[in-house]
Amino acid sequence: MWRRIIYRLALIVPITFSILFITLFLFYTLPGVHVLDSRELQVGSERELILTLRLQEQQNPFAYNRGLFYIGIYAGYLPLRRDHIPLMFHASFHSLCKDIRNPHVMNDYAEWVREQLGDFTSSSGSGLSAHQFVQILKAQNRMEFLAVMQTLDPEVVPPVWKRVVKAPVADDISLLNISWNGKHNIFHSYLNAIFFGDPALHTSSGELVQTKFGRTVWWTLAYTLPALLGGWLIVYVFMLLNYDRPGRLQRINRLTLVVYSVPTFVLATLALVFLTSHRYGVISSLFPFPVFVENRVQGLFDIYRYYGAHLILPMLLFALSPMLLLFRIFHEKMEEVRRVRPSFRYLRHLGLPDRTFRLRYLSRYLLVAGLAVLSNIIIALLGGSLVIEWIFNIPGLGRYLYQSIINYDVPSTVFLVVVFTIVQQVGHILTDLLIDLFSPSSSKTEGLL
Amino acid sequence: MKRMKKILSASRGILIWYAGLVVCCFGLCYLLAGPYDLINRCDGQLSFFTTAKCDSGIRPIVVRMNAETLDPRVESLMPPLSFTPDVGFHLMGTDILGRDVFAGILYGGQRSLIIGFVAGALAMVLGWIMGITSVYVQWQRWRFPYSWVGVVVLVSFAFASRMYVFLFFALGWIIFNILTRRTTKNQISTTSAWWWGRWIEWYQALPDLLLLLVLSSAIGQLKISGMVIIIMAVVWPSMALLARRIASEVSRQPFFTQAVRNRVSGYTLWRHYLWGNTSSAFWALLPLVVARIILLESTISFLGMGLPPDVVTIGSMISSARYHLSSWWLIVFSCIFIFILVYPLMKLGTELNRRI
């Protein structure tokens, strides 16, 4: 068994690395269209645009690297330093490169963009306004590029722009290019940053990713931990008490189907409107309206102290789905025991006391069935329910992940995905270990049930 | 198949009821609500479904609006059973922009059904093909020439990138292939099946939420087809794993072993033995998958990651209810409709699974 566990633990490494790569690939390479609507960047003050550009810098902290992975394969018209361009403008840059078809010049242009972005983020200034910089980044072909250039004073125009406009189509462009990027690639930098903290990863708001994770994880655990443990215990005890009442269990099973047909977000929104809004009589004042202030708390104890009452409703809603799932699993196992295992009747005919049967045999059988979903429960414990956190404005991990993805906060997303992947894999191994440990078939009682 | 027909006839009530719902969403909705006149008479000529303003026209039965119509005459957040002259009855009220909730539910339901059925069918078919094939490859006599395909790719790549050094690698590969060529034919190998299984499991290990959110962000402005692709990309691995499990159970049966010994053709093994013995599970699961996808689509729309914001869906309507707590009609009718849409499918799927 230990050999198998070591083998599976070793497998966590390639699985985590591959998922890290896929995440980076999705962010950097997949978007072939305008990811964020850069056309919308027409309005806004100079200051706002500079802030947006700084955000781009934070979203892509390893852009100074040469490529996404140790080895890179990319279209022939693209330059080697294409990742220097902020994520937001990748699509327009690719269109521009396709039109110019001169990777040597575009390589210089990409380096200039990087330097210029550095000037904006360090507030050193370089004579070009943020508006002008954004306009040129949005150019998708030579004509648009030229049009932006003509709006500027010729003395201010950077020399590299003139080279881009006048660049001839290179004859030596191949269909595909291959490059060896060595250790200076984005994937390697993220590996170092996540596992060795060098360099430290920051969220788009400038906070350390680990700090943000440490803060949000308490909020998620505050409602998931009691909900899952309590829910699991309630269903487990309920099944042990009612195992000899198949009619009742069948009726509840039918009811679970009804609840399953309504998604969690509908139930949660209904609860928010009709149980917390104070607008539909007494029933709508049953629970306090959820308002959570993140800065007020320091840890789990503080969360319960200030927001214990506010968390009851999210807890109940969050517990509902795992409880239904556990009930269905336990019910199926119970039916299986009743239908397939003749020893079930045999033990009862032998005169085994009801209490002994429940606590000694049936409990163990159900426990194993419950453990089969342990890895899912561990993931749910950490990830929480995005929908619940979204509706009740809980500043937990699910909401953090959602906002990271929406805002293209690559460091936060990558960090969270890696953490979730490792937790999920460890959860799977732990589940199998516990099943081995508690399974009736692996002990002296083999064959009794 | 006879057994399946028998089981389906037992669930006739649910099927008829659901067919009625589909007809209502796809056919009747155009008679009940729409921004046009059903029949119009302009300059002595009859025209159908036209928006031209003429004196004598027959309007849609309930309201002259579709899900996205913004009419300045219609007030925002009107309660149910309100009436706007020249527009019609707002059976289920209006939202903050003055869009009719009843029309939104009909047209939004239509979109949910299209996405649910198309994505469900595609995900099931893809998952089933992958799952069955991952078991079948173990007995496949004809081996896919992976090595030779690799050589072709390498040679193409060498010419595409103008890095002709890769031709030497290709040459080395060809020599290696010839030298290590197997002399025995028709032997059974578990290597391919193992790789297929691990690949599907690896794909399933990708976080669903990440895939959904990043793919929808990456594709940008989503249409129904984009939504179908994204949902299919998330759902198919679980179907493939299920099909693989059922098919591997079939492959352990004595009749299957005997068929392999009798040198039954690969097509017959795949089509008649593996598909034939797993098809009932396929049909039983289909309604459950469609129901799951309808729920998934509404959740994605609720989070604002689905179809564009100006396209009304059930999820987007419920999402707007969060900001207008006094307008109960925004959530109640959508909630009832989603239940009506999903529950029969759940019931049908459970019933079919139980009987099979």
Side-chain angles (χ1 to χ4, degrees):
Chain A
M1 186 178 77
W2 291 108
R3 272 181 67 181
R4 192 158 53 91
I5 289 171
I6 291 167
Y7 169 72
R8 289 188 59 183
L9 280 173
L11 267 184
I12 291 178
V13 178
I15 289 174
T16 310
F17 282 13
S18 58
I19 286 178
L20 171 64
F21 175 76
I22 292 286
T23 311
L24 290 172
F25 179 80
L26 286 172
F27 271 115
Y28 282 86
T29 309
L30 192 64
V33 290
H34 293 269
V35 179
L36 300 172
D37 202 352
S38 52
R39 285 172 195 279
E40 294 299 319
L41 277 176
Q42 301 278 3
V43 289
S45 65
E46 183 76 4
R47 175 78 187 151
E48 282 169 341
L49 278 185
I50 289 174
L51 286 176
T52 309
L53 291 171
R54 282 185 191 166
L55 185 70
Q56 290 290 309
E57 172 84 358
Q58 279 160 356
Q59 281 170 345
N60 191 11
F62 301 120
Y64 52 82
N65 284 311
R66 288 180 63 184
L68 187 63
F69 199 55
Y70 299 96
I71 194 166
I73 301 172
Y74 52 97
Y77 56 80
L78 288 174
L80 191 64
R81 303 195 188 281
R82 61 201 174 281
D83 291 317
H84 285 201
I85 305 296
L87 284 176
M88 195 176 195
F89 303 100
H90 265 197
S92 22
F93 180 71
H94 282 213
S95 310
L96 184 65
C97 288
K98 201 173 181 178
D99 192 45
I100 302 284
R101 296 188 71 80
N102 192 325
H104 310 296
V105 174
M106 294 315 286
N107 210 42
D108 296 343
Y109 173 69
E111 281 189 356
W112 173 82
V113 169
R114 186 76 209 162
E115 282 170 21
Q116 189 67 30
L117 201 62
D119 286 346
F120 279 118
T121 48
S122 62
S123 308
S124 61
S126 62
L128 206 65
S129 73
H131 268 106
Q132 290 159 347
F133 185 55
V134 167
Q135 287 300 323
I136 205 73
L137 282 175
K138 280 160 57 184
Q140 294 189 48
N141 52 48
R142 203 187 290 256
M143 294 307 290
E144 282 183 22
F145 198 92
L146 188 65
V148 177
M149 207 171 101
Q150 282 168 347
T151 59
L152 291 180
D153 182 0
E155 288 181 10
V156 185
V157 173
V160 74
W161 288 22
K162 293 172 187 165
R163 286 182 58 207
V164 169
V165 171
K166 290 176 183 170
V169 173
D171 299 328
D172 56 342
I173 294 180
S174 53
L175 197 64
L176 288 172
N177 269 343
I178 185 165
S179 66
W180 171 252
N181 302 323
K183 282 183 183 175
H184 298 289
N185 62 73
I186 294 169
F187 177 81
H188 191 84
S189 307
Y190 268 108
L191 276 186
N192 271 331
I194 291 169
F195 294 105
F196 305 108
D198 177 32
L201 290 175
H202 291 90
T203 65
S204 49
S205 59
E207 190 181 3
L208 261 180
V209 169
Q210 283 88 343
T211 314
K212 174 102 177 170
F213 175 81
R215 209 175 60 243
T216 49
V217 75
W218 290 120
W219 281 96
T220 298
L221 288 178
Y223 74 94
T224 54
L225 202 63
L228 287 172
L229 290 180
W232 200 89
L233 197 69
I234 289 168
V235 178
Y236 187 67
V237 172
F238 179 81
M239 294 304 282
L240 283 180
L241 292 177
N242 291 283
Y243 85 96
D244 50 355
R245 290 172 184 161
R248 177 184 287 184
L249 293 180
Q250 196 60 44
R251 275 197 298 278
I252 297 175
N253 197 34
R254 262 183 245 132
L255 193 68
T256 59
L257 199 66
V258 175
V259 185
Y260 258 134
S261 304
V262 184
T264 312
F265 78 88
V266 173
L267 284 177
T269 316
L270 277 173
L272 183 80
V273 173
F274 292 108
L275 299 179
T276 68
S277 66
H278 295 70
R279 293 169 201 220
Y280 301 100
V282 183
I283 196 168
S284 60
S285 311
L286 273 178
F287 296 93
F289 191 77
V291 178
F292 300 99
V293 183
E294 205 179 343
N295 299 334
R296 199 176 165 191
V297 297
Q298 296 295 325
L300 201 59
F301 178 72
D302 271 359
I303 294 174
Y304 286 132
R305 192 171 143 208
Y306 294 117
Y307 299 110
H310 293 74
L311 282 172
I312 292 173
L313 190 58
M315 260 182 222
L316 292 175
L317 286 162
F318 182 75
L320 197 63
S321 187
M323 278 171 80
L324 291 179
L325 177 72
L326 278 170
F327 176 82
R328 287 179 82 93
I329 289 171
F330 286 159
H331 186 245
E332 265 177 34
K333 280 289 158 195
M334 207 80 95
E335 291 288 307
E336 190 188 314
V337 168
R338 203 171 280 124
R339 199 174 53 240
V340 183
R341 310 263 170 170
S343 49
F344 171 73
R345 286 189 297 276
Y346 177 65
L347 283 173
R348 303 290 286 124
H349 283 307
L350 279 180
L352 194 77
D354 187 46
R355 186 186 160 86
T356 315
F357 179 74
R358 273 186 225 264
L359 299 181
R360 192 166 162 193
Y361 296 107
L362 197 61
S363 62
R364 204 163 176 185
Y365 203 75
L366 288 185
L367 189 67
V368 173
L371 286 175
V373 288
L374 185 75
S375 58
N376 293 344
I377 287 180
I378 291 174
I379 269 288
L381 200 70
L382 206 59
S385 169
L386 165 67
V387 169
I388 299 279
E389 289 180 10
W390 181 249
I391 292 170
F392 290 96
N393 286 321
I394 302 172
L397 273 182
R399 197 180 163 85
Y400 177 31
L401 177 64
Y402 175 76
Q403 283 180 336
S404 308
I405 295 174
I406 294 286
N407 297 329
Y408 269 68
D409 182 355
V410 186
S412 296
T413 311
V414 166
F415 181 82
L416 290 175
V417 166
V418 167
V419 169
F420 285 143
T421 308
I422 294 172
V423 168
Q424 191 182 27
Q425 298 300 317
V426 172
H428 282 315
I429 297 170
L430 198 67
T431 305
D432 290 354
L433 251 179
L434 288 173
I435 287 175
D436 270 355
L437 205 66
F438 287 100
S439 173
S441 58
S442 65
S443 68
K444 294 186 284 188
T445 54
E446 188 174 4
L448 272 180
L449 273 174
Chain B
M1 216 57 201
K2 272 184 184 174
R3 193 168 156 230
M4 199 68 201
K5 279 179 189 167
K6 204 174 165 185
I7 293 169
L8 280 177
S9 67
S11 311
R12 204 166 39 215
I14 301 175
L15 288 174
I16 292 171
W17 200 87
Y18 210 77
L21 192 71
V22 172
V23 168
C24 187
C25 275
F26 284 96
L28 282 182
C29 77
Y30 297 106
L31 299 178
L32 295 171
Y36 41 69
D37 284 342
L38 295 175
I39 305 169
N40 217 328
R41 191 182 175 89
C42 286
D43 303 330
Q45 282 193 333
L46 277 180
S47 54
F48 300 93
F49 295 97
T50 178
T51 49
K53 288 187 177 176
C54 300
D55 291 336
S56 54
I58 299 176
R59 298 200 174 99
I61 297 165
V62 179
V63 67
R64 201 174 186 272
M65 293 173 87
N66 69 11
E68 284 86 25
T69 308
L70 295 171
D71 193 321
R73 291 169 294 180
V74 180
E75 288 176 32
S76 65
L77 297 176
M78 289 170 87
L81 299 175
S82 309
F83 179 74
T84 306
D86 287 341
V87 177
F89 283 99
H90 306 291
L91 282 184
M92 297 175 181
T94 59
D95 68 2
I96 186 70
L97 298 174
R99 295 178 299 194
D100 189 73
V101 174
F102 175 68
I105 282 178
L106 281 181
Y107 286 89
Q110 195 183 63
R111 283 167 197 138
S112 294
L113 279 172
I114 291 173
I115 292 171
F117 277 98
V118 176
L122 289 177
M124 281 291 288
V125 169
L126 180 65
W128 227 256
I129 289 173
M130 299 294 263
I132 290 181
T133 309
S134 72
V135 174
Y136 164 73
V137 286
Q138 202 172 335
W139 288 278
Q140 188 187 28
R141 290 194 195 87
W142 177 76
R143 299 257 164 259
F144 187 79
Y146 291 107
S147 298
W148 294 107
V149 171
V151 169
V152 172
V153 169
L154 205 58
V155 170
S156 319
F157 183 76
F159 283 105
S161 62
R162 296 186 191 176
M163 296 175 86
Y164 300 109
V165 69
F166 282 100
L167 290 177
F168 287 103
F169 288 109
L171 188 67
W173 199 339
I174 291 169
I175 294 168
F176 178 78
N177 277 344
I178 293 169
L179 292 180
T180 58
R181 193 169 51 181
R182 287 182 186 147
T183 47
T184 51
K185 286 182 179 175
N186 300 335
Q187 61 180 5
I188 289 171
S189 159
T190 53
T191 320
S192 301
W194 190 88
W195 276 110
W196 274 74
R198 296 297 81 72
W199 183 74
I200 296 171
E201 281 170 14
W202 174 84
Y203 190 95
Q204 214 201 10
L206 287 172
D208 286 0
L209 177 71
L210 176 85
L211 261 184
L212 273 174
L213 295 185
V214 177
L215 278 177
S216 57
S217 301
I219 291 179
Q221 283 285 316
L222 276 182
K223 292 178 186 164
I224 287 182
S225 54
M227 198 73 180
V228 166
I229 291 169
I230 288 172
I231 291 178
M232 201 182 83
V234 173
V235 175
W236 79 264
S238 49
M239 296 303 110
L241 283 180
L242 200 68
R244 184 178 155 80
R245 189 166 62 79
I246 301 170
S248 69
E249 271 171 27
V250 171
S251 73
R252 283 197 290 271
Q253 299 293 325
F255 64 83
F256 190 87
T257 317
Q258 192 57 47
V260 174
R261 280 187 195 145
N262 289 351
R263 307 183 70 75
V264 168
S265 75
Y267 171 77
T268 313
L269 271 184
W270 200 99
R271 167 78 178 78
H272 293 287
Y273 283 80
L274 290 174
W275 163 246
N277 286 294
T278 56
S279 60
S280 48
F282 176 91
W283 294 115
L285 273 170
L286 189 60
L288 288 177
V289 174
V290 172
R292 186 184 153 195
I293 288 176
I294 290 173
L295 294 181
L296 193 64
E297 183 273 328
S298 56
T299 309
I300 297 170
S301 300
F302 175 79
L303 292 171
M305 300 296 295
L307 297 170
D310 55 325
V311 178
V312 174
T313 59
I314 307 282
S316 65
M317 280 200 291
I318 296 175
S319 181
S320 67
R322 286 173 58 222
Y323 306 106
H324 310 287
L325 297 173
S326 304
S327 313
W328 56 268
W329 55 90
L330 289 179
I331 180 161
V332 169
F333 296 117
S334 311
C335 175
I336 292 170
F337 188 75
I338 219 166
F339 178 76
I340 291 170
L341 218 54
V342 172
Y343 181 71
L345 289 170
M346 288 273 198
K347 182 87 179 150
L348 181 67
T350 315
E351 195 68 16
L352 290 176
N353 269 315
R354 195 173 61 80
R355 290 178 189 235
I356 286 167

